[in-house]
Amino acid sequence: MTTTDVEITADLVRDLLREQHPDLAHLPVRLGARGWDNQLWRLGDDLAVRLPWATELADALLRKEHTWLPPLAPQLPLPVPVPQRLGEPGALFGRPWIVTTWVPGEPADRAPVTRPGSADLLAAFLSALHRPAPDGAPTGRGEGRRGGPLAEHTAGFEHGLAEVVERGLVAEPEPVRAVWQDAVAAPAWDGPAVWLHADLHPANVLTADGALSGVIDFGDLCAGDPAYDLAGAWRLLPDGAVDRFHDAYRGPDGGPADRATRRRARGWAAATALGGLIVGNAGDEGRPGGKSTWGPPARATLERLVATAG
């Protein structure tokens, strides 16, 4: 894990704009948020500057967003941060960076979704996104790959489950393992590879007054099995709203997700919740380190999954 060797400040952001996008340099600059891979700086009222400050992988993710998200964004029924400008590495800052539109709202790991009607909003968003991706679309990253065959992630799932049990974060591992095993046993996705957000955890979804209001951070945008994104219903929505979500969702064939896809989605939800528990209890709010706000929604996800049938 690497971090940039340049301190990111408002003055640096302003200097970068003067150098590469001088027509924007007069706008006020202020810190918006420090995320997992990037820092976000507000630029005036309507824009933001995203600069990588951690893993080297963040550079490629920013370039991917800049390339692929603008043509997708107009099709999506929720606000998303649309890339407007690309900043190239230079003497002031040796990594790429982007200027995007600003999406208002509070991250759902801090202000959870509470309104059941958000199930319809999430379903509409994913129905619009989950269209067949073109040749050359990026594939998912990670062990195996996000949106790829679920069974390729079994070793990672078992490692995560063992870690949360060792830390005392999950007392009964077998119900969680049963969710995963049922998901792996489900038939694999045999439809077209569709566009995925591929990182729909609560810190990447925004809320306003308890309602879903925006989706951010498309760095993991890729093509694959829609079940990976459908797991977000378990991670984001309030208790009892998942069935409403599935009633409203329409996949690439125009119909609802079949039972096998729902089963795989439960498995992805369990695996990603384990990661959220680990990060949420790492004990360090810095980067790299822990984010305590990730723990409660991850725990709630596991509780929902083990309390309901597949």
Side-chain angles (χ1 to χ4, degrees), residues 30-262:
R30 61 194 186 278
L31 180 64
R34 290 186 174 94
W36 189 254
D37 288 310
N38 302 288
Q39 290 192 21
L40 187 69
W41 290 77
R42 293 286 305 271
L43 181 61
D45 294 328
D46 302 320
L47 297 173
V49 180
R50 289 180 67 202
L51 305 97
W53 75 309
T55 60
E56 291 181 358
L57 180 61
D59 298 13
L61 300 185
L62 285 179
R63 290 189 182 277
K64 178 169 62 172
E65 282 190 64
H66 184 265
T67 299
W68 293 99
L69 185 54
L72 287 175
Q75 308 168 34
L76 303 178
L78 284 170
V80 301
V82 184
Q84 304 292 303
R85 309 281 185 91
L86 177 65
E88 294 291 354
L92 292 175
F93 189 73
R95 307 180 69 175
W97 47 279
I98 59 174
V99 178
T100 74
T101 55
W102 171 257
V103 181
E106 292 294 322
D109 61 325
R110 299 178 181 275
V113 176
T114 56
R115 294 192 181 184
S118 291
D120 301 321
L121 295 173
L122 182 62
F125 175 82
L126 290 180
S127 297
L129 178 62
H130 287 174
R131 302 297 98 192
D135 293 341
T139 56
R141 64 173 170 130
E143 181 184 351
R145 60 183 177 86
R146 299 185 184 197
L150 196 69
E152 293 180 1
H153 295 254
T154 295
F157 171 84
E158 290 292 347
H159 178 81
L161 185 59
E163 183 169 348
V164 298
V165 170
E166 182 179 356
R167 292 190 186 191
L169 302 174
V170 169
E172 298 291 338
E174 287 310 312
V176 179
R177 181 176 284 113
V179 172
W180 178 259
Q181 291 174 339
D182 178 72
V184 171
W189 175 246
D190 61 0
V194 302
W195 279 118
L196 307 176
H197 179 278
D199 205 15
L200 277 178
H201 63 71
N204 286 340
V205 167
L206 303 179
T207 67
D209 298 323
L212 184 63
S213 63
V215 179
I216 60 175
D217 194 349
F218 283 75
D220 280 299
L221 184 72
C222 65
D225 177 0
Y228 195 91
D229 275 356
L230 299 186
W234 293 99
R235 304 173 75 185
L236 300 169
L237 298 176
D239 291 346
V242 171
D243 286 344
R244 178 169 175 172
F245 166 83
H246 282 301
D247 287 343
Y249 172 79
R250 292 294 178 268
D253 62 356
D258 61 22
R259 180 168 175 76
T261 300
R262 297 189 192 192

